[in-house]
Amino acid sequence: MASLDEDPQTQKARKIFDHFDLNRDGRLSREEMGALVVAVNPRVRFTEHHIKEILDEVFRAYSEFIDGPAGISFEGLLRTYQDGAGDINRDFAALKLSLAKDANGASKGDPAASSIVDERAATAPLVRRKEHMPSWAPSNIAFDSSWLLVEDLQIIIKRLETKMANRLREKKSFSMSDGSSDVPWSTDLSLLFGPGGSGQHPWEELGQDYISFHRELDVLLQKADNSATSDEVFDAHLAIGRTLFDHFLYQEAMFSLKKAVELKPTDVRPHFHLGNTLYSLGRYSEAREKYTAALSAAEVATNDLGQLVPLIHMNFGIALETEGMLFSAAEHYQEAVKLSPQNHKALKLLGSALYGAGDYRLAEKALKEAIAIQPDFADAHCDLGSTLHAIGEDNESAINEFQKALDLKPDHVEALYNLGGMFKDIARYQRAADMYSKVLAIQPSNWRAQLNRAVVLLGAGETEEANKAFKEAFKMTNRLELYDAVMHMKLMGRKPKKGAETNASGRQNGDEQVDVLVVEPSQFRRASDKTTPRQWLTSALHIRQFQRDTRLNRCDVSSLRQEFMRNKQQRASNTYSGLSSFRKHELERLLKGLLHFLKPDTFQGAVKVINTKVLKVIDQAATGDIDLGFFFAVIAPICAGSADARKQAAFDALTLRYSAEACTEITKADASYYMKLLRVIYLTTESMSNLMELHGEDDQTKITFAEFQHMFDDPDWGFGILNVLIKLEASDRIRHRSQTCAICAYPISGPWFKEVSANFSLCCSCYSEGKVPISAKQHDYCFKEYNSEVKAVKDRLWFFSSRSEEGGA
């Protein structure tokens, strides 16, 4: 029986113990403990397996209080509550037990007198306790009842976090900062972890403690639902959801924030905070929907939203960036800057997005403005360094910006890595190696840093160290191209040419051995018309690389027309001077549909290449308006499909510039300008100045598809290189067994060019660059092209057969 001299918590434990000690032997057997667990969790459906696991854990952890089959003593049960394995107040209330009245007539077992209340600063007035609340609370919590709920919520969260800290301490798994750039989320939200829940605590691992937390949270949610008015219910759920979010309890925050949205769908705040929660859970498309809803609500809001709308735009942009939509993100960052011109974070985000999309001048302007407002902004200095390096006009200024970032934050991984790349590009190999070594000291598993370190060590002449670094990079990733690089380095055993550009596999573009001779194009003859002219192959290889960078060759050309027609209503509302005019962020959304199979980071890279190579040519005036008809017509020849299908798609795109329905004719002026666009964008021999030359651009004569095809196939004024490109595509995956290039020593894949008299072989890259072995020097060279192993075998058989006949004669 409970003693009146015991404290209330001990009395409650005694009451619970006596309630389940049915045989009155002073012990709770496994059956009696099982009954206790089920009774205090009326809403949980336990299986026999779950009950057994719980009892096994309890009886193992408190074995000193166990007396064989008799079970656990009262002291053992009390210890479980004291250790936090259960909530004595919640269990006592769930069992509907009661204690004797105190001198004032208050029930000592009243659930309202819970440990949560005991942990409050009960003697302090509420107004003083509010001082210890989060910074967002004063302007967002309207009712005292909500303040009390948040205070209680913080207490039970603190308990949970303490349990998690103890668990992590036991596992010795506290993680240190990796030195990377700060997560670009608004600091108002205190989101310290990356998107997609990558930084969430594994709360479920706490087991019973996590279940207990949920039970206590349920009590608070019931109190919130029982508030006097709907405004108080809304206020309570919004405050609870925000508090849970701040402590990375995203799943729990979802419930209250959704309830708040249901109660007040026109209020901006719950939409915004729900969007943040969905983003943190990696549910990006749903997050974008909530940000859109928040902005829609803000348009009709009558109250002053202060800095909330810029934050919505910023976080909306971050969510779009996560999906690879840089231009769309930049639009929202620009809106945030308009609303808050001194917002240095919005300016930095804008500059970073524009840099990632390839608009370097605009990126430079935004980043410099951010630094002018916040000079100690390390991330902005780092991105400005990258931007200046991309512009390529002043390497020392770029290095200075990286150094400023490192002065502010010595372990800034991105600044170290990019500075290493900067030194590599200007052939300061030893400095580059030092930067990559510092990156690896912070992030030992960064294989890209290890690979680049190997490349620059090779450039510095430290072949042995480079070999070790290559092998380490290969161990980190098991990527086949790294293995090929190691093998090739062993084979060649040479130092790369200084200043040469290094590709991902460690091979240097333009590196030459001393026994290589570069000859004039006129010295390369073709054994037959089937051999590709050297000058055509150079351009075709550049186009092929553009296809690989953008993955447009994986997009069927027939989908272009479908996508164009799907956007005709949008085109109708975005016309300028009768032409279909799209902004870059609108075009980006359209490309997202075409390249839906790409991962976000790959899509970002594709859009960047398209922007720098195509959009900047189409938009010469830099207005940001893109003629959709010309854009579709330009990319049609490099999409998947037959030559005729690609030409037809280009023709249809040009007809759809003026009408939502395809026509059968276009003007000769449009056709001529289109051919110039193709040649300037794709052919290495053309320049932007050619677009300014007038060759009948005002000719409004109508031409048919047949006439358009004739213009297209013209090798001098059209795009006759298309057939070479299609041949390259078809032979791209062909491997010629043991055949290696006489120049670069790589196994030959794709077209194989064999010199018929000197009997040496070239890969398509070395052939296009006019390289021949100096040992085979002669006045001119005659090449035969093989695009399949079968053809090569037939030629060899014919050769041996001819020699045999000659010998017989």
Side-chain angles (χ1 to χ4, degrees), residues 223-458:
K223 288 182 180 179
D225 288 335
N226 293 332
S227 299
T229 66
S230 61
D231 284 344
E232 288 180 87
V233 176
F234 168 81
D235 191 63
H237 276 290
L238 183 60
I240 289 172
R242 182 69 186 277
T243 303
L244 290 166
F245 174 86
D246 285 351
H247 292 272
F248 317 113
L249 289 155
Y250 302 127
Q251 292 289 357
E252 291 76 7
M254 289 271 290
F255 176 82
S256 285
L257 292 172
K258 284 183 176 180
K259 187 68 175 287
V261 167
E262 292 171 4
L263 290 167
K264 286 191 177 181
T266 58
D267 194 295
V268 176
R269 294 170 297 167
H271 288 292
F272 173 53
H273 297 310
L274 185 54
N276 296 338
T277 305
L278 288 163
Y279 173 87
S280 301
L281 290 169
R283 296 159 63 173
Y284 306 124
S285 60
E286 294 175 77
R288 287 194 287 110
E289 291 175 4
K290 292 305 172 186
Y291 292 136
T292 301
L295 292 175
S296 297
E299 290 179 358
V300 296
T302 56
N303 57 322
D304 182 15
L305 297 174
Q307 290 298 306
L308 185 58
V309 176
L311 287 177
I312 297 171
H313 280 293
M314 288 169 65
N315 289 1
F316 201 160
I318 292 167
L320 287 164
E321 275 201 61
T322 306
E323 294 189 286
M325 308 281 282
L326 290 178
F327 281 124
S328 299
E331 285 293 309
H332 284 282
Y333 298 145
Q334 188 66 61
E335 287 299 317
V337 171
K338 288 179 183 177
L339 295 168
S340 181
Q342 296 300 303
N343 191 327
H344 62 282
K345 292 180 181 177
L347 282 164
K348 186 269 175 189
L349 289 168
L350 174 61
S352 299
L354 291 170
Y355 164 75
D359 282 350
Y360 300 128
R361 291 296 182 186
L362 294 176
E364 178 188 9
K365 180 176 182 292
L367 290 166
K368 285 184 174 179
E369 289 179 13
I371 291 171
I373 297 169
Q374 189 74 27
D376 61 349
F377 200 170
D379 288 356
H381 283 292
C382 176
D383 286 356
L384 180 56
S386 298
T387 303
L388 293 172
H389 177 43
I391 293 172
E393 293 179 356
D394 187 354
N395 288 332
E396 287 304 316
S397 294
I399 292 172
N400 289 338
E401 291 300 329
F402 288 131
Q403 194 57 58
K404 287 177 184 177
L406 292 171
D407 291 342
L408 293 165
K409 191 175 180 180
D411 62 346
H412 199 297
V413 169
E414 189 177 350
L416 288 167
Y417 186 89
N418 291 351
L419 186 54
M422 179 91 202
F423 286 135
K424 181 182 73 170
D425 290 345
I426 60 176
R428 293 167 66 176
Y429 296 124
Q430 195 57 59
R431 290 295 307 277
D434 292 342
M435 294 301 109
Y436 291 128
S437 294
K438 290 180 180 180
V439 172
L440 290 165
I442 301 168
Q443 294 180 343
S445 60
N446 191 323
W447 71 268
R448 295 183 187 278
Q450 187 69 272
L451 172 61
N452 280 286
R453 179 171 170 269
V455 170
V456 295
L457 285 171
L458 193 61

Side-chain angles (χ1 to χ4, degrees), residues 575-592:
T575 54
Y576 177 73
S577 300
L579 302 180
S580 54
S581 178
F582 265 42
R583 302 294 294 176
K584 285 185 178 180
H585 68 279
E586 296 173 310
L587 184 62
E588 182 182 53
R589 287 199 295 269
L590 191 149
L591 284 169
K592 188 72 172 177

Side-chain angles (χ1 to χ4, degrees), residues 566-631:
R566 191 178 298 120
N567 285 271
K568 68 179 182 179
Q569 291 183 343
Q570 190 174 1
R571 288 192 301 113
S573 61
N574 288 276
T575 54
Y576 177 73
S577 300
L579 302 180
S580 54
S581 178
F582 265 42
R583 302 294 294 176
K584 285 185 178 180
H585 68 279
E586 296 173 310
L587 184 62
E588 182 182 53
R589 287 199 295 269
L590 191 149
L591 284 169
K592 188 72 172 177
L594 287 173
L595 301 173
H596 58 87
F597 46 83
L598 295 184
K599 293 181 179 179
D601 55 343
T602 310
F603 178 74
Q604 276 190 15
V607 172
K608 180 177 182 178
V609 174
I610 290 170
N611 180 43
T612 55
K613 191 170 180 67
V614 178
L615 302 186
K616 287 185 178 179
V617 177
I618 295 177
D619 181 25
Q620 296 176 68
T623 62
D625 291 319
I626 306 299
D627 188 302
L628 194 62
F630 276 125
F631 173 74

Side-chain angles (χ1 to χ4, degrees), residues 529-533 536-537 539-541 543-544 547 637-638 641-647 683 709 712-715 718-731 751 785 787:
D529 291 341
K530 294 182 179 179
T531 302
T532 304
W536 283 22
L537 186 60
S539 292
L541 287 172
I543 299 171
R544 194 77 187 96
Q547 287 179 313
I638 64 170
S642 66
D644 288 342
R646 300 185 198 192
K647 296 171 193 175
L683 302 188
Q709 273 188 303
F712 191 101
D713 293 334
D714 189 307
F719 200 65
I721 198 174
L722 179 60
N723 290 332
V724 178
L725 176 64
I726 291 176
K727 185 166 68 172
L728 269 182
E729 293 171 356
S731 62
E785 177 180 351
N787 289 288

Side-chain angles (χ1 to χ4, degrees), residues 8-10 12-13 16 78 81 86-93:
Q9 300 298 89
T10 304
K12 290 179 181 180
I16 294 172
L78 180 61
Y81 283 121
D87 187 328
I88 194 169
N89 298 300
R90 183 193 58 76
D91 290 357
F92 195 82

Side-chain angles (χ1 to χ4, degrees), residues 5-24:
D5 295 331
E6 295 175 340
D7 64 84
Q9 300 298 89
T10 304
Q11 289 185 47
K12 290 179 181 180
R14 180 77 66 180
K15 276 277 189 179
I16 294 172
F17 184 88
D18 292 343
H19 186 74
F20 288 95
D21 184 15
L22 301 179
N23 58 9
R24 298 293 182 258

